[in-house]
PDB file of all heavy atoms in Angstrom:
ATOM      1  N   PHE A 110      16.115 -18.540  -1.248  1.00 47.00           N
ATOM      2  CA  PHE A 110      15.474 -18.520  -2.559  1.00 47.00           C
ATOM      3  C   PHE A 110      14.096 -19.176  -2.484  1.00 47.00           C
ATOM      4  O   PHE A 110      13.091 -18.611  -2.893  1.00 47.00           O
ATOM      5  CB  PHE A 110      16.321 -19.251  -3.595  1.00 47.00           C
ATOM      6  CG  PHE A 110      17.415 -18.430  -4.207  1.00 47.00           C
ATOM      7  CD1 PHE A 110      18.702 -18.924  -4.273  1.00 47.00           C
ATOM      8  CD2 PHE A 110      17.148 -17.174  -4.743  1.00 47.00           C
ATOM      9  CE1 PHE A 110      19.726 -18.174  -4.857  1.00 47.00           C
ATOM     10  CE2 PHE A 110      18.162 -16.423  -5.330  1.00 47.00           C
ATOM     11  CZ  PHE A 110      19.448 -16.925  -5.378  1.00 47.00           C
ATOM     12  N   MET A 111      14.065 -20.397  -1.943  1.00 46.00           N
ATOM     13  CA  MET A 111      12.814 -21.142  -1.883  1.00 46.00           C
ATOM     14  C   MET A 111      11.833 -20.483  -0.926  1.00 46.00           C
ATOM     15  O   MET A 111      10.627 -20.398  -1.206  1.00 46.00           O
ATOM     16  CB  MET A 111      13.081 -22.592  -1.466  1.00 46.00           C
ATOM     17  CG  MET A 111      11.924 -23.538  -1.734  1.00 46.00           C
ATOM     18  SD  MET A 111      11.489 -23.657  -3.506  1.00 46.00           S
ATOM     19  CE  MET A 111      12.869 -24.599  -4.153  1.00 46.00           C
ATOM     20  N   GLN A 112      12.351 -19.971   0.179  1.00 55.00           N
ATOM     21  CA  GLN A 112      11.486 -19.311   1.148  1.00 55.00           C
ATOM     22  C   GLN A 112      10.843 -18.058   0.553  1.00 55.00           C
ATOM     23  O   GLN A 112       9.646 -17.819   0.719  1.00 55.00           O
ATOM     24  CB  GLN A 112      12.295 -18.939   2.398  1.00 55.00           C
ATOM     25  CG  GLN A 112      11.482 -18.207   3.454  1.00 55.00           C
ATOM     26  CD  GLN A 112      12.350 -17.796   4.646  1.00 55.00           C
ATOM     27  OE1 GLN A 112      13.472 -18.285   4.813  1.00 55.00           O
ATOM     28  NE2 GLN A 112      11.838 -16.901   5.471  1.00 55.00           N
ATOM     29  N   GLY A 113      11.640 -17.273  -0.175  1.00 47.00           N
ATOM     30  CA  GLY A 113      11.123 -16.015  -0.704  1.00 47.00           C
ATOM     31  C   GLY A 113      10.300 -16.169  -1.967  1.00 47.00           C
ATOM     32  O   GLY A 113       9.310 -15.449  -2.167  1.00 47.00           O
ATOM     33  N   ASN A 114      10.703 -17.099  -2.846  1.00 55.00           N
ATOM     34  CA  ASN A 114      10.039 -17.218  -4.144  1.00 55.00           C
ATOM     35  C   ASN A 114       8.932 -18.266  -4.171  1.00 55.00           C
ATOM     36  O   ASN A 114       8.020 -18.184  -4.982  1.00 55.00           O
ATOM     37  CB  ASN A 114      11.068 -17.537  -5.226  1.00 55.00           C
ATOM     38  CG  ASN A 114      12.059 -16.396  -5.408  1.00 55.00           C
ATOM     39  OD1 ASN A 114      11.698 -15.227  -5.341  1.00 55.00           O
ATOM     40  ND2 ASN A 114      13.323 -16.730  -5.618  1.00 55.00           N
ATOM     41  N   PHE A 115       9.023 -19.274  -3.290  1.00 60.00           N
ATOM     42  CA  PHE A 115       7.980 -20.290  -3.201  1.00 60.00           C
ATOM     43  C   PHE A 115       7.123 -20.063  -1.959  1.00 60.00           C
ATOM     44  O   PHE A 115       5.889 -20.109  -2.024  1.00 60.00           O
ATOM     45  CB  PHE A 115       8.607 -21.682  -3.169  1.00 60.00           C
ATOM     46  CG  PHE A 115       7.603 -22.788  -2.977  1.00 60.00           C
ATOM     47  CD1 PHE A 115       6.897 -23.304  -4.053  1.00 60.00           C
ATOM     48  CD2 PHE A 115       7.370 -23.318  -1.714  1.00 60.00           C
ATOM     49  CE1 PHE A 115       5.964 -24.327  -3.875  1.00 60.00           C
ATOM     50  CE2 PHE A 115       6.448 -24.338  -1.525  1.00 60.00           C
ATOM     51  CZ  PHE A 115       5.749 -24.838  -2.612  1.00 60.00           C
ATOM     52  N   GLY A 116       7.788 -19.784  -0.839  1.00 73.00           N
ATOM     53  CA  GLY A 116       7.071 -19.650   0.433  1.00 73.00           C
ATOM     54  C   GLY A 116       6.051 -18.540   0.421  1.00 73.00           C
ATOM     55  O   GLY A 116       4.892 -18.729   0.816  1.00 73.00           O
ATOM     56  N   PHE A 117       6.463 -17.326  -0.054  1.00 86.00           N
ATOM     57  CA  PHE A 117       5.497 -16.226  -0.053  1.00 86.00           C
ATOM     58  C   PHE A 117       4.378 -16.474  -1.051  1.00 86.00           C
ATOM     59  O   PHE A 117       3.216 -16.148  -0.789  1.00 86.00           O
ATOM     60  CB  PHE A 117       6.172 -14.893  -0.370  1.00 86.00           C
ATOM     61  CG  PHE A 117       5.171 -13.775  -0.455  1.00 86.00           C
ATOM     62  CD1 PHE A 117       4.618 -13.228   0.693  1.00 86.00           C
ATOM     63  CD2 PHE A 117       4.723 -13.294  -1.683  1.00 86.00           C
ATOM     64  CE1 PHE A 117       3.652 -12.228   0.623  1.00 86.00           C
ATOM     65  CE2 PHE A 117       3.770 -12.293  -1.766  1.00 86.00           C
ATOM     66  CZ  PHE A 117       3.239 -11.761  -0.596  1.00 86.00           C
ATOM     67  N   ALA A 118       4.710 -17.059  -2.210  1.00 89.00           N
ATOM     68  CA  ALA A 118       3.669 -17.371  -3.197  1.00 89.00           C
ATOM     69  C   ALA A 118       2.615 -18.277  -2.581  1.00 89.00           C
ATOM     70  O   ALA A 118       1.404 -18.104  -2.800  1.00 89.00           O
ATOM     71  CB  ALA A 118       4.287 -18.031  -4.427  1.00 89.00           C
ATOM     72  N   SER A 119       3.058 -19.236  -1.779  1.00 90.00           N
ATOM     73  CA  SER A 119       2.125 -20.136  -1.110  1.00 90.00           C
ATOM     74  C   SER A 119       1.245 -19.373  -0.117  1.00 90.00           C
ATOM     75  O   SER A 119       0.026 -19.592  -0.055  1.00 90.00           O
ATOM     76  CB  SER A 119       2.904 -21.239  -0.391  1.00 90.00           C
ATOM     77  OG  SER A 119       2.038 -22.138   0.244  1.00 90.00           O
ATOM     78  N   THR A 120       1.850 -18.470   0.628  1.00 93.00           N
ATOM     79  CA  THR A 120       1.089 -17.660   1.583  1.00 93.00           C
ATOM     80  C   THR A 120       0.057 -16.799   0.871  1.00 93.00           C
ATOM     81  O   THR A 120      -1.097 -16.693   1.306  1.00 93.00           O
ATOM     82  CB  THR A 120       2.046 -16.768   2.395  1.00 93.00           C
ATOM     83  OG1 THR A 120       2.971 -17.591   3.110  1.00 93.00           O
ATOM     84  CG2 THR A 120       1.284 -15.892   3.376  1.00 93.00           C
ATOM     85  N   LEU A 121       0.459 -16.179  -0.220  1.00 95.00           N
ATOM     86  CA  LEU A 121      -0.449 -15.329  -0.987  1.00 95.00           C
ATOM     87  C   LEU A 121      -1.656 -16.126  -1.484  1.00 95.00           C
ATOM     88  O   LEU A 121      -2.817 -15.713  -1.306  1.00 95.00           O
ATOM     89  CB  LEU A 121       0.298 -14.711  -2.166  1.00 95.00           C
ATOM     90  CG  LEU A 121      -0.549 -13.946  -3.184  1.00 95.00           C
ATOM     91  CD1 LEU A 121      -1.134 -12.683  -2.561  1.00 95.00           C
ATOM     92  CD2 LEU A 121       0.285 -13.597  -4.421  1.00 95.00           C
ATOM     93  N   LEU A 122      -1.394 -17.262  -2.104  1.00 96.00           N
ATOM     94  CA  LEU A 122      -2.487 -18.054  -2.680  1.00 96.00           C
ATOM     95  C   LEU A 122      -3.382 -18.636  -1.590  1.00 96.00           C
ATOM     96  O   LEU A 122      -4.608 -18.715  -1.757  1.00 96.00           O
ATOM     97  CB  LEU A 122      -1.918 -19.153  -3.565  1.00 96.00           C
ATOM     98  CG  LEU A 122      -1.129 -18.670  -4.795  1.00 96.00           C
ATOM     99  CD1 LEU A 122      -0.617 -19.852  -5.605  1.00 96.00           C
ATOM    100  CD2 LEU A 122      -1.971 -17.744  -5.661  1.00 96.00           C
ATOM    101  N   ASP A 123      -2.791 -19.044  -0.469  1.00 95.00           N
ATOM    102  CA  ASP A 123      -3.595 -19.548   0.648  1.00 95.00           C
ATOM    103  C   ASP A 123      -4.531 -18.461   1.179  1.00 95.00           C
ATOM    104  O   ASP A 123      -5.675 -18.750   1.565  1.00 95.00           O
ATOM    105  CB  ASP A 123      -2.697 -20.047   1.777  1.00 95.00           C
ATOM    106  CG  ASP A 123      -2.066 -21.400   1.474  1.00 95.00           C
ATOM    107  OD1 ASP A 123      -2.542 -22.075   0.531  1.00 95.00           O
ATOM    108  OD2 ASP A 123      -1.091 -21.769   2.161  1.00 95.00           O
ATOM    109  N   THR A 124      -4.052 -17.228   1.202  1.00 97.00           N
ATOM    110  CA  THR A 124      -4.876 -16.126   1.696  1.00 97.00           C
ATOM    111  C   THR A 124      -6.010 -15.822   0.734  1.00 97.00           C
ATOM    112  O   THR A 124      -7.138 -15.534   1.157  1.00 97.00           O
ATOM    113  CB  THR A 124      -4.006 -14.879   1.929  1.00 97.00           C
ATOM    114  OG1 THR A 124      -2.865 -15.217   2.714  1.00 97.00           O
ATOM    115  CG2 THR A 124      -4.789 -13.794   2.654  1.00 97.00           C
ATOM    116  N   LEU A 125      -5.743 -15.902  -0.568  1.00 98.00           N
ATOM    117  CA  LEU A 125      -6.817 -15.740  -1.549  1.00 98.00           C
ATOM    118  C   LEU A 125      -7.843 -16.862  -1.407  1.00 98.00           C
ATOM    119  O   LEU A 125      -9.060 -16.630  -1.476  1.00 98.00           O
ATOM    120  CB  LEU A 125      -6.238 -15.716  -2.965  1.00 98.00           C
ATOM    121  CG  LEU A 125      -5.434 -14.475  -3.358  1.00 98.00           C
ATOM    122  CD1 LEU A 125      -4.705 -14.700  -4.672  1.00 98.00           C
ATOM    123  CD2 LEU A 125      -6.343 -13.244  -3.467  1.00 98.00           C
ATOM    124  N   ARG A 126      -7.365 -18.091  -1.195  1.00 97.00           N
ATOM    125  CA  ARG A 126      -8.272 -19.224  -0.994  1.00 97.00           C
ATOM    126  C   ARG A 126      -9.163 -18.995   0.229  1.00 97.00           C
ATOM    127  O   ARG A 126     -10.367 -19.288   0.201  1.00 97.00           O
ATOM    128  CB  ARG A 126      -7.462 -20.503  -0.765  1.00 97.00           C
ATOM    129  CG  ARG A 126      -6.949 -21.190  -1.997  1.00 97.00           C
ATOM    130  CD  ARG A 126      -6.466 -22.597  -1.630  1.00 97.00           C
ATOM    131  NE  ARG A 126      -5.696 -23.197  -2.707  1.00 97.00           N
ATOM    132  CZ  ARG A 126      -4.380 -23.122  -2.820  1.00 97.00           C
ATOM    133  NH1 ARG A 126      -3.670 -22.435  -1.914  1.00 97.00           N
ATOM    134  NH2 ARG A 126      -3.754 -23.695  -3.825  1.00 97.00           N
ATOM    135  N   LYS A 127      -8.563 -18.506   1.280  1.00 97.00           N
ATOM    136  CA  LYS A 127      -9.285 -18.285   2.533  1.00 97.00           C
ATOM    137  C   LYS A 127     -10.523 -17.428   2.302  1.00 97.00           C
ATOM    138  O   LYS A 127     -11.582 -17.659   2.914  1.00 97.00           O
ATOM    139  CB  LYS A 127      -8.347 -17.615   3.540  1.00 97.00           C
ATOM    140  CG  LYS A 127      -9.015 -17.114   4.807  1.00 97.00           C
ATOM    141  CD  LYS A 127      -8.010 -16.375   5.678  1.00 97.00           C
ATOM    142  CE  LYS A 127      -8.698 -15.709   6.869  1.00 97.00           C
ATOM    143  NZ  LYS A 127      -7.734 -14.933   7.687  1.00 97.00           N
ATOM    144  N   HIS A 128     -10.390 -16.441   1.404  1.00 98.00           N
ATOM    145  CA  HIS A 128     -11.507 -15.531   1.132  1.00 98.00           C
ATOM    146  C   HIS A 128     -12.282 -15.921  -0.116  1.00 98.00           C
ATOM    147  O   HIS A 128     -13.120 -15.136  -0.593  1.00 98.00           O
ATOM    148  CB  HIS A 128     -10.980 -14.097   1.013  1.00 98.00           C
ATOM    149  CG  HIS A 128     -10.383 -13.570   2.285  1.00 98.00           C
ATOM    150  ND1 HIS A 128     -11.137 -13.258   3.390  1.00 98.00           N
ATOM    151  CD2 HIS A 128      -9.083 -13.327   2.628  1.00 98.00           C
ATOM    152  CE1 HIS A 128     -10.348 -12.827   4.365  1.00 98.00           C
ATOM    153  NE2 HIS A 128      -9.086 -12.855   3.921  1.00 98.00           N
ATOM    154  N   ALA A 129     -11.976 -17.105  -0.645  1.00 98.00           N
ATOM    155  CA  ALA A 129     -12.644 -17.580  -1.868  1.00 98.00           C
ATOM    156  C   ALA A 129     -12.570 -16.524  -2.966  1.00 98.00           C
ATOM    157  O   ALA A 129     -13.515 -16.330  -3.738  1.00 98.00           O
ATOM    158  CB  ALA A 129     -14.095 -17.955  -1.577  1.00 98.00           C
ATOM    159  N   ASN A 130     -11.432 -15.856  -3.032  1.00 98.00           N
ATOM    160  CA  ASN A 130     -11.234 -14.793  -4.027  1.00 98.00           C
ATOM    161  C   ASN A 130     -10.490 -15.391  -5.220  1.00 98.00           C
ATOM    162  O   ASN A 130      -9.309 -15.720  -5.133  1.00 98.00           O
ATOM    163  CB  ASN A 130     -10.437 -13.643  -3.419  1.00 98.00           C
ATOM    164  CG  ASN A 130     -10.337 -12.447  -4.364  1.00 98.00           C
ATOM    165  OD1 ASN A 130     -10.622 -12.547  -5.556  1.00 98.00           O
ATOM    166  ND2 ASN A 130      -9.924 -11.310  -3.826  1.00 98.00           N
ATOM    167  N   THR A 131     -11.185 -15.541  -6.325  1.00 98.00           N
ATOM    168  CA  THR A 131     -10.579 -16.132  -7.525  1.00 98.00           C
ATOM    169  C   THR A 131     -10.272 -15.061  -8.580  1.00 98.00           C
ATOM    170  O   THR A 131     -10.367 -15.309  -9.786  1.00 98.00           O
ATOM    171  CB  THR A 131     -11.504 -17.191  -8.131  1.00 98.00           C
ATOM    172  OG1 THR A 131     -12.783 -16.594  -8.418  1.00 98.00           O
ATOM    173  CG2 THR A 131     -11.678 -18.362  -7.182  1.00 98.00           C
ATOM    174  N   CYS A 132      -9.890 -13.871  -8.121  1.00 98.00           N
ATOM    175  CA  CYS A 132      -9.517 -12.814  -9.069  1.00 98.00           C
ATOM    176  C   CYS A 132      -8.277 -13.235  -9.850  1.00 98.00           C
ATOM    177  O   CYS A 132      -7.520 -14.106  -9.419  1.00 98.00           O
ATOM    178  CB  CYS A 132      -9.259 -11.505  -8.326  1.00 98.00           C
ATOM    179  SG  CYS A 132      -7.741 -11.500  -7.336  1.00 98.00           S
ATOM    180  N   PRO A 133      -8.049 -12.641 -11.024  1.00 98.00           N
ATOM    181  CA  PRO A 133      -6.843 -12.964 -11.796  1.00 98.00           C
ATOM    182  C   PRO A 133      -5.565 -12.613 -11.019  1.00 98.00           C
ATOM    183  O   PRO A 133      -5.518 -11.628 -10.281  1.00 98.00           O
ATOM    184  CB  PRO A 133      -6.976 -12.104 -13.055  1.00 98.00           C
ATOM    185  CG  PRO A 133      -8.428 -11.775 -13.141  1.00 98.00           C
ATOM    186  CD  PRO A 133      -8.917 -11.680 -11.731  1.00 98.00           C
ATOM    187  N   VAL A 134      -4.541 -13.442 -11.216  1.00 97.00           N
ATOM    188  CA  VAL A 134      -3.259 -13.240 -10.536  1.00 97.00           C
ATOM    189  C   VAL A 134      -2.137 -13.317 -11.564  1.00 97.00           C
ATOM    190  O   VAL A 134      -2.073 -14.250 -12.364  1.00 97.00           O
ATOM    191  CB  VAL A 134      -3.034 -14.308  -9.447  1.00 97.00           C
ATOM    192  CG1 VAL A 134      -1.732 -14.019  -8.690  1.00 97.00           C
ATOM    193  CG2 VAL A 134      -4.201 -14.359  -8.477  1.00 97.00           C
ATOM    194  N   MET A 135      -1.269 -12.322 -11.546  1.00 97.00           N
ATOM    195  CA  MET A 135      -0.092 -12.311 -12.417  1.00 97.00           C
ATOM    196  C   MET A 135       1.130 -12.664 -11.581  1.00 97.00           C
ATOM    197  O   MET A 135       1.302 -12.173 -10.454  1.00 97.00           O
ATOM    198  CB  MET A 135       0.080 -10.910 -13.035  1.00 97.00           C
ATOM    199  CG  MET A 135       1.379 -10.709 -13.817  1.00 97.00           C
ATOM    200  SD  MET A 135       2.674  -9.991 -12.763  1.00 97.00           S
ATOM    201  CE  MET A 135       4.061  -9.990 -13.880  1.00 97.00           C
ATOM    202  N   LEU A 136       1.988 -13.524 -12.102  1.00 95.00           N
ATOM    203  CA  LEU A 136       3.209 -13.926 -11.412  1.00 95.00           C
ATOM    204  C   LEU A 136       4.427 -13.476 -12.198  1.00 95.00           C
ATOM    205  O   LEU A 136       4.556 -13.761 -13.391  1.00 95.00           O
ATOM    206  CB  LEU A 136       3.266 -15.450 -11.238  1.00 95.00           C
ATOM    207  CG  LEU A 136       4.597 -16.011 -10.697  1.00 95.00           C
ATOM    208  CD1 LEU A 136       4.841 -15.526  -9.273  1.00 95.00           C
ATOM    209  CD2 LEU A 136       4.617 -17.525 -10.771  1.00 95.00           C
ATOM    210  N   SER A 137       5.342 -12.809 -11.512  1.00 93.00           N
ATOM    211  CA  SER A 137       6.626 -12.435 -12.092  1.00 93.00           C
ATOM    212  C   SER A 137       7.614 -13.562 -11.852  1.00 93.00           C
ATOM    213  O   SER A 137       8.082 -13.778 -10.733  1.00 93.00           O
ATOM    214  CB  SER A 137       7.130 -11.140 -11.443  1.00 93.00           C
ATOM    215  OG  SER A 137       8.473 -10.895 -11.792  1.00 93.00           O
ATOM    216  N   SER A 138       7.929 -14.299 -12.933  1.00 90.00           N
ATOM    217  CA  SER A 138       8.922 -15.364 -12.849  1.00 90.00           C
ATOM    218  C   SER A 138      10.135 -14.969 -13.684  1.00 90.00           C
ATOM    219  O   SER A 138      10.311 -13.796 -14.025  1.00 90.00           O
ATOM    220  CB  SER A 138       8.322 -16.698 -13.315  1.00 90.00           C
ATOM    221  OG  SER A 138       9.219 -17.765 -13.066  1.00 90.00           O
ATOM    222  N   SER A 139      10.966 -15.925 -14.028  1.00 80.00           N
ATOM    223  CA  SER A 139      12.237 -15.626 -14.690  1.00 80.00           C
ATOM    224  C   SER A 139      12.544 -16.690 -15.729  1.00 80.00           C
ATOM    225  O   SER A 139      12.145 -17.861 -15.583  1.00 80.00           O
ATOM    226  CB  SER A 139      13.363 -15.575 -13.650  1.00 80.00           C
ATOM    227  OG  SER A 139      14.638 -15.613 -14.262  1.00 80.00           O
ATOM    228  N   ILE A 140      13.291 -16.300 -16.758  1.00 79.00           N
ATOM    229  CA  ILE A 140      13.741 -17.289 -17.745  1.00 79.00           C
ATOM    230  C   ILE A 140      14.633 -18.344 -17.094  1.00 79.00           C
ATOM    231  O   ILE A 140      14.796 -19.430 -17.645  1.00 79.00           O
ATOM    232  CB  ILE A 140      14.488 -16.619 -18.919  1.00 79.00           C
ATOM    233  CG1 ILE A 140      15.691 -15.796 -18.428  1.00 79.00           C
ATOM    234  CG2 ILE A 140      13.555 -15.771 -19.746  1.00 79.00           C
ATOM    235  CD1 ILE A 140      16.584 -15.307 -19.553  1.00 79.00           C
ATOM    236  N   GLN A 141      15.168 -18.035 -15.919  1.00 77.00           N
ATOM    237  CA  GLN A 141      15.978 -19.030 -15.226  1.00 77.00           C
ATOM    238  C   GLN A 141      15.145 -20.227 -14.769  1.00 77.00           C
ATOM    239  O   GLN A 141      15.683 -21.296 -14.492  1.00 77.00           O
ATOM    240  CB  GLN A 141      16.703 -18.401 -14.044  1.00 77.00           C
ATOM    241  CG  GLN A 141      17.719 -17.338 -14.456  1.00 77.00           C
ATOM    242  CD  GLN A 141      18.618 -16.907 -13.324  1.00 77.00           C
ATOM    243  OE1 GLN A 141      19.032 -17.713 -12.497  1.00 77.00           O
ATOM    244  NE2 GLN A 141      18.936 -15.613 -13.279  1.00 77.00           N
ATOM    245  N   ALA A 142      13.808 -20.055 -14.722  1.00 70.00           N
ATOM    246  CA  ALA A 142      12.924 -21.154 -14.350  1.00 70.00           C
ATOM    247  C   ALA A 142      12.846 -22.219 -15.435  1.00 70.00           C
ATOM    248  O   ALA A 142      12.301 -23.304 -15.202  1.00 70.00           O
ATOM    249  CB  ALA A 142      11.527 -20.628 -14.037  1.00 70.00           C
ATOM    250  N   THR A 143      13.399 -21.937 -16.625  1.00 65.00           N
ATOM    251  CA  THR A 143      13.445 -22.973 -17.655  1.00 65.00           C
ATOM    252  C   THR A 143      14.353 -24.115 -17.243  1.00 65.00           C
ATOM    253  O   THR A 143      14.209 -25.244 -17.732  1.00 65.00           O
ATOM    254  CB  THR A 143      13.959 -22.390 -18.981  1.00 65.00           C
ATOM    255  OG1 THR A 143      15.278 -21.845 -18.784  1.00 65.00           O
ATOM    256  CG2 THR A 143      13.023 -21.297 -19.511  1.00 65.00           C
ATOM    257  N   LEU A 144      15.324 -23.822 -16.361  1.00 56.00           N
ATOM    258  CA  LEU A 144      16.294 -24.818 -15.887  1.00 56.00           C
ATOM    259  C   LEU A 144      17.026 -25.480 -17.054  1.00 56.00           C
ATOM    260  O   LEU A 144      17.343 -26.667 -17.031  1.00 56.00           O
ATOM    261  CB  LEU A 144      15.604 -25.880 -15.019  1.00 56.00           C
ATOM    262  CG  LEU A 144      14.863 -25.353 -13.781  1.00 56.00           C
ATOM    263  CD1 LEU A 144      14.230 -26.508 -13.007  1.00 56.00           C
ATOM    264  CD2 LEU A 144      15.803 -24.560 -12.881  1.00 56.00           C
ATOM    265  N   VAL A 145      17.287 -24.680 -18.074  1.00 71.00           N
ATOM    266  CA  VAL A 145      17.960 -25.164 -19.274  1.00 71.00           C
ATOM    267  C   VAL A 145      19.339 -24.504 -19.367  1.00 71.00           C
ATOM    268  O   VAL A 145      19.517 -23.335 -19.026  1.00 71.00           O
ATOM    269  CB  VAL A 145      17.128 -24.847 -20.533  1.00 71.00           C
ATOM    270  CG1 VAL A 145      17.914 -25.176 -21.799  1.00 71.00           C
ATOM    271  CG2 VAL A 145      15.822 -25.628 -20.507  1.00 71.00           C
ATOM    272  N   GLY A 146      20.329 -25.262 -19.870  1.00 62.00           N
ATOM    273  CA  GLY A 146      21.660 -24.706 -20.089  1.00 62.00           C
ATOM    274  C   GLY A 146      22.305 -24.237 -18.809  1.00 62.00           C
ATOM    275  O   GLY A 146      22.362 -24.962 -17.811  1.00 62.00           O
ATOM    276  N   ARG A 147      22.769 -22.993 -18.810  1.00 69.00           N
ATOM    277  CA  ARG A 147      23.474 -22.466 -17.636  1.00 69.00           C
ATOM    278  C   ARG A 147      22.556 -22.270 -16.438  1.00 69.00           C
ATOM    279  O   ARG A 147      23.016 -22.021 -15.334  1.00 69.00           O
ATOM    280  CB  ARG A 147      24.183 -21.154 -17.971  1.00 69.00           C
ATOM    281  CG  ARG A 147      23.282 -20.022 -18.425  1.00 69.00           C
ATOM    282  CD  ARG A 147      24.108 -18.900 -19.028  1.00 69.00           C
ATOM    283  NE  ARG A 147      23.315 -17.806 -19.558  1.00 69.00           N
ATOM    284  CZ  ARG A 147      23.136 -16.645 -18.943  1.00 69.00           C
ATOM    285  NH1 ARG A 147      23.683 -16.448 -17.758  1.00 69.00           N
ATOM    286  NH2 ARG A 147      22.427 -15.688 -19.508  1.00 69.00           N
ATOM    287  N   TYR A 148      21.235 -22.384 -16.665  1.00 62.00           N
ATOM    288  CA  TYR A 148      20.288 -22.245 -15.557  1.00 62.00           C
ATOM    289  C   TYR A 148      19.925 -23.591 -14.927  1.00 62.00           C
ATOM    290  O   TYR A 148      19.141 -23.647 -13.975  1.00 62.00           O
ATOM    291  CB  TYR A 148      18.999 -21.587 -16.049  1.00 62.00           C
ATOM    292  CG  TYR A 148      19.182 -20.243 -16.713  1.00 62.00           C
ATOM    293  CD1 TYR A 148      18.544 -19.947 -17.911  1.00 62.00           C
ATOM    294  CD2 TYR A 148      20.002 -19.273 -16.146  1.00 62.00           C
ATOM    295  CE1 TYR A 148      18.705 -18.721 -18.537  1.00 62.00           C
ATOM    296  CE2 TYR A 148      20.172 -18.036 -16.763  1.00 62.00           C
ATOM    297  CZ  TYR A 148      19.520 -17.764 -17.962  1.00 62.00           C
ATOM    298  OH  TYR A 148      19.689 -16.549 -18.575  1.00 62.00           O
ATOM    299  N   ALA A 149      20.469 -24.688 -15.442  1.00 55.00           N
ATOM    300  CA  ALA A 149      20.004 -26.032 -15.081  1.00 55.00           C
ATOM    301  C   ALA A 149      20.090 -26.313 -13.583  1.00 55.00           C
ATOM    302  O   ALA A 149      19.185 -26.940 -13.015  1.00 55.00           O
ATOM    303  CB  ALA A 149      20.787 -27.083 -15.865  1.00 55.00           C
ATOM    304  N   GLU A 150      21.141 -25.866 -12.929  1.00 62.00           N
ATOM    305  CA  GLU A 150      21.344 -26.208 -11.523  1.00 62.00           C
ATOM    306  C   GLU A 150      21.167 -25.013 -10.594  1.00 62.00           C
ATOM    307  O   GLU A 150      21.512 -25.089  -9.408  1.00 62.00           O
ATOM    308  CB  GLU A 150      22.744 -26.809 -11.327  1.00 62.00           C
ATOM    309  CG  GLU A 150      22.992 -28.082 -12.128  1.00 62.00           C
ATOM    310  CD  GLU A 150      22.008 -29.182 -11.767  1.00 62.00           C
ATOM    311  OE1 GLU A 150      21.650 -29.285 -10.575  1.00 62.00           O
ATOM    312  OE2 GLU A 150      21.593 -29.924 -12.675  1.00 62.00           O
ATOM    313  N   GLY A 151      20.626 -23.918 -11.079  1.00 64.00           N
ATOM    314  CA  GLY A 151      20.529 -22.713 -10.256  1.00 64.00           C
ATOM    315  C   GLY A 151      19.417 -22.783  -9.226  1.00 64.00           C
ATOM    316  O   GLY A 151      18.278 -23.143  -9.537  1.00 64.00           O
ATOM    317  N   ASP A 152      19.755 -22.461  -7.983  1.00 62.00           N
ATOM    318  CA  ASP A 152      18.752 -22.469  -6.917  1.00 62.00           C
ATOM    319  C   ASP A 152      17.665 -21.423  -7.163  1.00 62.00           C
ATOM    320  O   ASP A 152      16.491 -21.644  -6.833  1.00 62.00           O
ATOM    321  CB  ASP A 152      19.421 -22.203  -5.565  1.00 62.00           C
ATOM    322  CG  ASP A 152      20.297 -23.357  -5.114  1.00 62.00           C
ATOM    323  OD1 ASP A 152      19.902 -24.520  -5.356  1.00 62.00           O
ATOM    324  OD2 ASP A 152      21.367 -23.111  -4.536  1.00 62.00           O
ATOM    325  N   TYR A 153      18.054 -20.285  -7.733  1.00 67.00           N
ATOM    326  CA  TYR A 153      17.072 -19.243  -8.021  1.00 67.00           C
ATOM    327  C   TYR A 153      16.042 -19.752  -9.031  1.00 67.00           C
ATOM    328  O   TYR A 153      14.828 -19.623  -8.836  1.00 67.00           O
ATOM    329  CB  TYR A 153      17.770 -17.991  -8.559  1.00 67.00           C
ATOM    330  CG  TYR A 153      16.836 -16.883  -8.973  1.00 67.00           C
ATOM    331  CD1 TYR A 153      16.123 -16.157  -8.032  1.00 67.00           C
ATOM    332  CD2 TYR A 153      16.671 -16.552 -10.324  1.00 67.00           C
ATOM    333  CE1 TYR A 153      15.263 -15.136  -8.407  1.00 67.00           C
ATOM    334  CE2 TYR A 153      15.816 -15.538 -10.709  1.00 67.00           C
ATOM    335  CZ  TYR A 153      15.115 -14.832  -9.747  1.00 67.00           C
ATOM    336  OH  TYR A 153      14.262 -13.829 -10.136  1.00 67.00           O
TER     337      TYR A 153
END
């Protein structure tokens, strides 16, 4: 989960930084990122 959802995001942003490209970026996240209720302990 962390490798795919955090690791690749880090690689993507580092590559944009490398080229000093500050174009707009949209991120697909999830309501599970609220970590509220039944999502509180979910690794995803």
